[in-house]
Amino acid sequence: MTVLSERHGSVAVLTLSNPPVNGMNQATRAALAAALDAAVADAAVQVILLTGAGRSFSGGADIREFGTPAALAAPNLRELIAKVEALPKPVVVALHGTVMGGGLELSLACHYRVAAPAAKLGLPEVKLGLLPGAGGTQRLPRTIGTAAALAMIVSGEPEAVERLAALPGQRLLDAVLPGAWPQVAIDWAAAHATTVSDRVVGDWPLPPGGEAELAAARARWAPLAADQPAPLACIDCVAEAHRPIAEGLAFEAEGFATLMDTAASRALRHAFFAERAAARIDGLPADTPTRSIRSVGVIGGGTMGSGIALATLAAGLPVTMVERDEAALAAGRGRVEAGLAGWLKKGRLNEQSHAATLARFSTRTELGALAEADLIIEAVYEDLGVKQDVFRALDGIAKPGAILATNTSTLDVDRIAAVTSRPADVIGLHFFSPAQVMKLLEVVRAAATAPDVLATAMAYARALGKVAVVARVCDGFIGNRMIEQYAREAMFLLEEGARPEQIDAAIEAFGFAMGPFRMSDLAGNDIGAAIRARRAIEQPGLRYPAIADRLCALGRYGQKTSAGWYDYPAGERRGQPSALVAGLVDDARTAAGFPARDIPAAEIVERLMLALVNEGAKLLAEGIAQRASDIDVVYLYGYGFPAWRGGPMAWAVEVGLSHCVQRLRHWQQARPERAADFEPATLLVERAVAGGF
Ligand code: NAD
């Protein structure tokens, strides 16, 4: 049963019971409607109390039903809400946990609302490219005013009950009730819920005010509405909340239906499911045992080692950092301490938790200090020999059963594992920089990695609040192997005369957080140069335009040398277009024999995106990535790809896989000397027939 009914004196207590979050799927809606009818028919019942079992009252609509007949099957959410609002007996809702979306919209139709002090309420539909379509945009403003409702609806962020209860003149919450839940709510309902008259939110007048907030929100979101229509549609609905409720609801329903059919909403819903699918691993049952991780060792205290230490400390685990000498150790310790001090300043830690976190952090110069660690993560220089030396030494030190992980970005994890006597315990944990911030973790499953090691790595990622995606071993794994093709294509565009700032602007307008040249200046252009030098030996046939190496030969490594693809005048982090680089571009174009031409932004975006998609299809065919949506997750969480485009593979499906194939063939003809680069991946051609991955 998804709804349990009990009677406590004159109060009928109806408890939603549909784990994990009491989602309002069709079965639950039907059960609630039936339970409401029974309570109305029962002469002994004077008041109805709605509450939820488990962690929260309700997480809202079941988005798995979106776009399916089940979402419309009677009673749909709007019908159920109308039924509650029209009941002859007072309905009280008891809110606890995080009450989201349809759960909050249902509450707004109840005649009284009480909440537990720690509860949070939110309307997150905008994050799926939608608007609250079951009355939220019309009823919430009537309870807390236009400005506060607008902020919640347009951000999609949940708001704490204590802040909502403190809003002047609010009629959202009748009481905030500390004490044993749900008994306090039952007692409150018995004592206070006496009538339905004047308790119908839809009949309440809209409080005055909010015009300035509406105008400001419109000014911010209207220019973006072509690609991201949901925020503006939310604003438009809230602006109509002054109308009679029936008219407002009809306007809202129309807006919801329109958004449901937009590319942005399809992309955001895809991203939502893609993130959940990434946790499933082919051939690894969900009940695979895990090893317990009670302490973590980190080798290397540079950029990555210190970030990994911070991320692990933040999850409450003790960390021991090992560096090769006292000076490097002091620098690594300094980076971690500075990170913790920053969290203290921002209020993410208080004095007490800051001290406790520092106490869990220790630093040593001997690897022997890691003898008892359950998980050891290596983050030393990106050099196979150096890493193999570290793993050889670890093999002699780590306790049996310890997991040995490498943070390599590009190196062969199998060759690192092979120097140990326990390759089954070796895995790649590829963090992204800054590791304490970026949500993505690529978990690299080497040939011999044991199932429980893989399952433990996924659990460790979850404990850190990261989104983990599994990749098999190859040069660059999923993310960096694809970005290499994208960056290489960007360099070929330079060779045809496009300026770095022009390429960055085009792809940033498409939605990427940062274009390839700004990104390279941030990461250090010397890193790319070193990778190209290695590839020149491993893949001598692969041509790169010479311009990036020429830039490095001038010592223009990026932000760290105040000069790279851009100039960085003293103290500025935002680079300025460089006359010197413009000269390099012109020289490269002349040397390559391309005539000067205006390169349209659409061409830049197309060529960069096709480079990503084509390489992504190869990764899928090789089994490096388990599924296309995993590739999307890597790009959404690791590379600043716009969520409202769903990821590169979802983008390809949206524009059409056959279109992608046809455009690659076009570029093969237009650039015959690079025909191999534009050769459509076999899997892309195959899947183009079906139209999806
Ligand atoms: P870094 O140069 O900032 O830090 C490396 C640290 O390792 C240095 O402090 C060095 O003293 C220490 N070290 C070297 N040999 C050691 C040894 N034998 N024992 C103990 N410490 C030793 O480099 P980084 O940027 O932190 O990169 C580290 C690893 O992480 C590399 O494999 C890199 O490819 C990978 N990675 C880097 C990034 C990034 O954006 N920087 C992202 C993902 C992965």
Side-chain angles (χ1 to χ4, degrees):
M1 268 313 265
T2 52
V3 176
L4 310 171
S5 301
E6 283 169 16
R7 200 152 55 72
H8 291 245
S10 62
V11 182
V13 179
L14 311 187
T15 304
L16 302 182
S17 179
N18 179 25
V21 295
N22 299 326
M24 302 293 295
N25 63 2
Q26 201 274 333
T28 306
R29 297 192 306 266
L32 181 55
L36 288 168
D37 286 339
V40 170
D42 184 344
V45 170
Q46 283 168 19
V47 178
I48 299 165
L49 181 77
L50 289 190
T51 179
R55 277 183 283 159
S56 76
F57 168 64
S58 172
D62 183 342
I63 79 165
R64 264 161 237 279
E65 281 187 349
F66 282 12
T68 73
L72 303 175
N76 67 34
L77 192 54
R78 290 191 193 115
E79 288 162 354
L80 181 65
I81 283 174
K83 179 186 182 81
V84 169
E85 201 166 47
L87 283 190
K89 294 183 182 177
V91 183
V92 183
V93 66
L95 303 169
H96 78 289
T98 304
V99 181
M100 300 291 261
L104 179 54
E105 291 179 298
L106 174 65
S107 310
L108 286 162
C110 296
H111 306 110
Y112 299 85
R113 284 161 296 279
V114 298
K120 288 182 168 185
L121 313 182
L123 292 173
E125 288 78 358
V126 73
K127 293 188 175 181
L128 295 177
L130 299 169
L131 55 79
T137 68
Q138 303 303 300
R139 293 193 181 94
L140 189 62
R142 285 170 157 86
T143 63
I144 57 173
T146 297
L150 185 73
M152 282 176 72
I153 292 169
V154 175
S155 72
E157 291 297 326
E159 188 65 273
V161 146
E162 288 186 330
R163 289 193 48 180
L164 290 165
L167 289 172
Q170 69 85 16
R171 300 180 78 185
L172 177 62
L173 298 165
D174 295 286
V176 177
L177 303 173
W181 201 261
Q183 190 56 48
V184 279
I186 298 172
D187 295 343
W188 189 95
H192 296 90
T194 46
T195 173
V196 297
S197 77
D198 189 37
R199 299 301 312 177
V200 172
V201 173
D203 294 342
W204 293 350
L206 181 70
E211 292 79 11
E213 286 82 358
L214 277 170
R218 217 183 272 288
R220 166 152 187 230
W221 287 105
L224 304 175
D227 285 330
Q228 302 174 70
L232 185 63
C234 287
I235 297 164
D236 286 342
C237 281
V238 173
E240 297 303 316
H242 61 86
R243 284 168 41 173
I245 187 76
E247 282 179 31
L249 290 178
F251 184 85
E252 180 195 81
E254 207 170 299
F256 182 85
T258 305
L259 287 178
M260 188 61 103
D261 221 14
T262 57
S265 180
R266 275 193 294 278
L268 288 162
R269 281 178 279 143
H270 164 81
F272 179 90
F273 290 119
E275 183 181 330
R276 279 143 190 85
R280 292 197 296 274
I281 303 173
D282 292 345
L284 196 80
D287 59 358
T288 304
T290 54
R291 301 184 187 179
S292 89
I293 304 289
R294 284 191 222 96
S295 63
V296 176
V298 176
I299 308 174
T303 312
M304 293 311 290
S306 51
I308 294 167
L310 276 167
T312 307
L313 286 167
L317 286 161
V319 174
T320 303
M321 174 186 278
V322 173
E323 260 286 357
R324 53 189 174 148
D325 56 39
E326 289 296 341
L329 191 63
R333 179 165 193 101
R335 274 186 276 271
V336 171
E337 286 174 353
L340 294 178
W343 289 349
L344 178 63
K345 208 171 144 198
K346 278 196 203 136
R348 183 172 159 184
L349 294 176
N350 59 29
E351 294 286 348
Q352 202 183 357
S353 54
H354 176 258
T357 309
L358 259 185
R360 278 189 275 111
F361 178 53
S362 58
T363 53
R364 300 284 287 275
T365 51
E366 320 81 45
L367 269 189
L370 304 182
E372 290 307 314
D374 297 312
L375 167 65
I376 302 173
I377 305 171
E378 164 279 313
V380 305
Y381 301 130
E382 185 75 347
D383 178 286
L384 185 64
V386 174
K387 291 194 191 279
Q388 285 176 328
D389 284 347
V390 168
F391 274 76
R392 248 181 235 111
L394 272 183
D395 196 24
I397 287 164
K399 67 180 182 186
I403 295 177
L404 311 182
T406 172
N407 180 48
T408 180
S409 315
T410 52
L411 298 173
D412 185 336
V413 183
D414 290 324
R415 290 176 70 187
I416 295 173
V419 303
T420 72
S421 63
R422 38 176 138 175
D425 294 340
V426 177
I427 195 164
L429 290 181
H430 182 218
F431 286 83
F432 286 69
S433 182
Q436 70 276 27
V437 175
M438 296 294 287
K439 277 200 69 153
L440 180 66
L441 183 65
E442 264 183 323
V443 173
V444 185
R445 181 181 196 176
T449 305
D452 64 336
V453 170
L454 186 57
T456 307
M458 300 301 280
Y460 165 73
R462 263 197 310 281
L464 267 59
K466 307 267 182 220
V467 178
V469 173
V470 177
R472 289 282 191 177
V473 174
C474 70
D475 185 351
F477 315 122
I478 297 173
N480 282 346
R481 189 170 127 182
M482 285 167 66
I483 210 74
E484 185 63 21
Q485 296 308 317
Y486 160 98
R488 184 165 172 263
E489 191 58 31
M491 287 180 218
F492 278 111
L493 282 160
L494 290 181
E495 202 179 56
E496 293 181 29
R499 301 272 193 269
E501 58 273 19
Q502 188 189 348
I503 297 171
D504 283 348
I507 202 75
E508 286 165 15
F510 172 83
F512 265 89
M514 212 186 272
F517 297 104
R518 284 195 193 287
M519 189 147 102
S520 189
D521 270 2
L522 185 66
N525 297 319
D526 49 326
I527 293 178
I531 294 174
R532 285 192 298 280
R534 172 166 63 79
R535 276 212 187 106
I537 300 166
E538 292 172 2
Q539 292 171 264
L542 192 66
R543 183 174 89 82
Y544 278 87
I547 183 166
D549 290 334
R550 289 192 59 198
L551 187 83
C552 281
L554 297 171
R556 295 181 68 103
Y557 294 164
Q559 287 194 15
K560 60 185 167 190
T561 57
S562 298
W565 294 107
Y566 294 87
D567 291 335
Y568 296 86
E572 282 192 37
R573 292 189 65 184
R574 178 98 190 153
Q576 307 294 328
S578 158
L580 183 143
V581 171
L584 288 182
V585 168
D586 287 342
D587 292 349
R589 178 181 60 73
T590 316
F594 285 105
R597 71 176 172 112
D598 249 347
I599 301 184
E603 176 183 331
I604 293 170
V605 168
E606 177 180 278
R607 286 174 56 175
L608 296 185
M609 285 304 300
L610 288 176
L612 285 179
V613 169
N614 210 29
E615 195 65 19
K618 291 176 191 171
L619 286 170
L620 267 183
E622 292 168 30
I624 302 292
Q626 304 181 95
R627 47 183 93 85
S629 65
D630 278 10
I631 297 175
D632 289 333
V633 173
V634 166
Y635 270 77
L636 294 170
Y637 289 113
Y639 293 85
F641 197 92
W644 45 273
R645 292 202 192 268
M649 308 313 269
W651 173 87
V653 173
E654 186 70 32
V655 301
L657 298 186
S658 340
H659 174 77
C660 292
V661 170
Q662 182 241 319
R663 293 306 296 164
L664 283 162
R665 292 201 170 124
H666 161 84
W667 287 110
Q668 277 190 300
Q669 280 172 6
R671 299 284 179 277
E673 72 286 1
R674 295 189 53 222
D677 288 340
F678 292 113
E679 176 71 31
T682 312
L683 183 125
L684 191 62
V685 178
E686 280 168 17
R687 299 290 162 91
V689 178
F693 285 110

